[in-house]
Amino acid sequence: MQPSNILVINCGSSSIKFALVNPSESDFTLSGLAERLGSADAVLHWQHRGSKDSKPIANADHRLALAELLPLVEHATQGKLLGIGHRVVHGGEHFTAASRIDSKALQQIKSLEPLAPLHIPVNLQGIEAAIKLFPELPQVAVFDTAFHQSLPEHAFRYALPEALYRQHGVRRYGFHGTSHRYVSAQAASFSGLAYGDSSWLIAHLGNGCSTCAVVNGQSRDTSMGLTPLEGLVMGTRSGDVDPNLHSHLAKTLGWSLDEIDRVLNQESGVLGLSGLSNDMRTLEQAREQGHVGATLAIEVFCYRLAKSLASMSCALTRLDGLVFTGGIGENSPLIRNKTVEHLKLLNIQLDREANALCVRGVAGPIHTQGHPRVLVIPTNEERQIALDTLGLLKQHTS
Ligand code: AMP
């Protein structure tokens, strides 16, 4: 039988997440994280068929960390690895789907660096290291933005001079596309509906958060924009603010652009509002103990999320369901309940017991009978990347 193991690699600035996915099995054969790369504390953690291990890899960079991974992958696959799928944060307007990586694709990904200056270089570093280590294997890039390339122009254009779009690519791209696609397809199959004839609102709520309207298997609108800062209140990101805020802060406080970027991306969101933490678990516990900042952060988070979902409903002609996913969406009955309380006009209402039950990987419906469907569906971006990689490789060989 043809082996169908795919190694999925997700390179961050100082980390590599990896998973060995066999799409015919529900659990990953091997998964793990190399973190603090480039420092004396660099370490590789992995999990192989239930057993956990880790190994210090002092001062390892992305290439050395992948080299450390090689024997683990060989052991786990017995040499039967079909290909490598790379998560790439930005595909611009060029990549509307996953793409086989050749020298032309590498050039095209490189040309997108101005759109994601922090992420594209590290994504490329991972790809180049993987090509050197696994030269005989096909490599595929799967883009966070690709799913949203189906947005209609009225949803992706900003009301700015046209030249900024035509000459500089200033438009809304959206992110988390792999997750939105995976959970919307799962939601359709879970509900016995054809994906190609279904209509969903998705709330992906993790450290980064975004909403998406998915109609007939296509993204029609999403809350993130040119960058992942637009839209919802997140762990440390502000989400939408007055577009004049930059000039206001520069003029009144003398802040530089770098300082403002740092504050909006790393010190805002629920962390900024609460003055306590970016972690929703910590905030929920603090709220129970009467912490004023944590209480406010949760209120603002849920209200802004509901507002975004209501605005996404403009892209739908009917609603087959609202789906919660991501670390917060999959685990927080409180956030789901508080959000839905603001959506009474959409007639959405939760069943208290069902809502409480759907935590820690439990999927299912959480709405009250007779009201629009609301589902909790754990996301699985690695699996979707493996499926996309496999799909593309099969196309090439058939
Ligand atoms: P992710 O980026 O998808 O891993 O999600 C991370 C976020 O999920 C963090 O804000 C966590 O606090 C949150 N999270 C994980 N478990 C829970 C939980 N049981 N209750 C509330 N939030 C949670």
Side-chain angles (χ1 to χ4, degrees), residues 276 281-295 298 334:
L276 182 67
R281 277 165 298 201
T282 309
L283 295 179
E284 288 191 16
Q285 282 159 12
R287 174 183 172 273
E288 269 176 29
Q289 288 153 13
H291 190 286
V292 175
T295 307
I298 287 174
L334 175 79

Side-chain angles (χ1 to χ4, degrees), residues 204-208 278-282 284 326-328 331-332:
H204 174 110
L205 310 175
N207 264 321
N278 64 324
D279 191 304
M280 197 54 88
R281 277 165 298 201
T282 309
E284 288 191 16
I328 301 170
N331 290 298
S332 177

Side-chain angles (χ1 to χ4, degrees), residues 1-326:
M1 206 174 79
Q2 180 81 326
S4 53
N5 290 305
I6 301 290
L7 177 63
V8 175
I9 294 178
N10 179 359
C11 278
S13 54
S14 63
S15 70
I16 303 176
K17 278 194 207 149
F18 57 90
L20 190 61
V21 186
N22 181 340
S24 61
E25 295 177 11
S26 57
D27 291 333
F28 300 149
T29 321
L30 171 76
S31 61
L33 169 72
E35 59 178 345
R36 298 188 222 113
L37 296 177
S39 81
D41 302 329
V43 57
L44 175 66
H45 306 282
W46 70 93
Q47 192 164 357
H48 178 41
R49 298 221 181 270
S51 69
K52 288 184 181 176
D53 216 334
S54 51
K55 177 181 178 183
I57 47 171
N59 302 314
D61 59 8
H62 288 74
R63 172 129 186 244
L64 283 172
L66 282 176
E68 290 287 345
L69 195 58
L70 189 67
L72 297 175
V73 171
E74 276 173 353
H75 174 67
T77 59
Q78 311 283 319
K80 291 180 186 144
L81 184 61
L82 198 64
I84 301 185
H86 296 267
R87 179 181 189 183
V88 178
V89 72
H90 217 303
E93 288 191 319
H94 184 81
F95 294 103
T96 57
S99 171
R100 184 84 178 251
I101 301 173
D102 53 18
S103 54
K104 200 167 145 218
L106 273 178
Q107 273 314 100
Q108 265 147 357
I109 295 172
K110 200 165 172 35
S111 74
L112 296 167
E113 204 177 307
L115 288 173
L118 298 180
H119 292 95
I120 290 283
V122 285
N123 290 160
L124 282 170
Q125 228 176 319
I127 293 173
E128 278 157 7
I131 291 174
K132 286 206 176 99
L133 284 165
F134 303 90
E136 75 292 358
L137 283 182
Q139 318 251 351
V140 168
V142 179
F143 302 90
D144 273 17
T145 52
F147 183 52
H148 302 301
Q149 279 299 301
S150 50
L151 255 59
E153 193 161 6
H154 62 251
F156 77 68
R157 285 289 295 273
Y158 291 115
L160 292 170
E162 192 181 7
L164 285 176
Y165 167 55
R166 301 264 174 234
Q167 290 162 30
H168 304 285
V170 177
R171 54 158 282 179
R172 307 183 63 252
Y173 290 95
F175 297 85
H176 292 145
T178 309
S179 174
H180 287 302
R181 189 150 66 92
Y182 179 80
V183 295
S184 54
Q186 289 284 309
S189 118
F190 192 93
S191 312
L193 298 169
Y195 189 40
D197 181 19
S198 64
S199 235
W200 305 96
L201 291 177
I202 315 289
H204 174 110
L205 310 175
N207 264 321
C209 301
S210 68
T211 54
C212 186
V214 183
V215 179
N216 302 341
Q218 294 192 326
S219 172
R220 292 287 165 81
D221 201 356
T222 190
S223 60
M224 284 177 167
L226 174 71
T227 76
L229 185 61
E230 186 175 334
L232 304 178
V233 173
M234 312 183 205
T236 61
R237 295 186 198 130
S238 62
D240 293 341
V241 290
D242 186 320
N244 261 331
L245 183 64
H246 281 73
S247 73
H248 176 78
L249 294 175
K251 283 179 194 152
T252 56
L253 302 177
W255 287 8
S256 68
L257 274 182
D258 282 349
E259 265 175 298
I260 299 169
D261 271 357
R262 182 175 47 74
V263 169
L264 294 185
N265 282 285
Q266 294 165 27
E267 296 176 8
S268 299
V270 289
L271 170 66
L273 277 165
S274 68
L276 182 67
S277 173
N278 64 324
D279 191 304
M280 197 54 88
R281 277 165 298 201
T282 309
L283 295 179
E284 288 191 16
Q285 282 159 12
R287 174 183 172 273
E288 269 176 29
Q289 288 153 13
H291 190 286
V292 175
T295 307
L296 175 69
I298 287 174
E299 294 301 326
V300 177
F301 181 90
C302 294
Y303 181 64
R304 288 272 299 274
L305 169 58
K307 234 167 110 166
S308 174
L309 288 166
S311 73
M312 286 293 138
S313 74
C314 295
L316 310 183
T317 51
R318 68 164 202 264
L319 178 64
D320 287 322
L322 161 64
V323 184
F324 285 98
T325 195

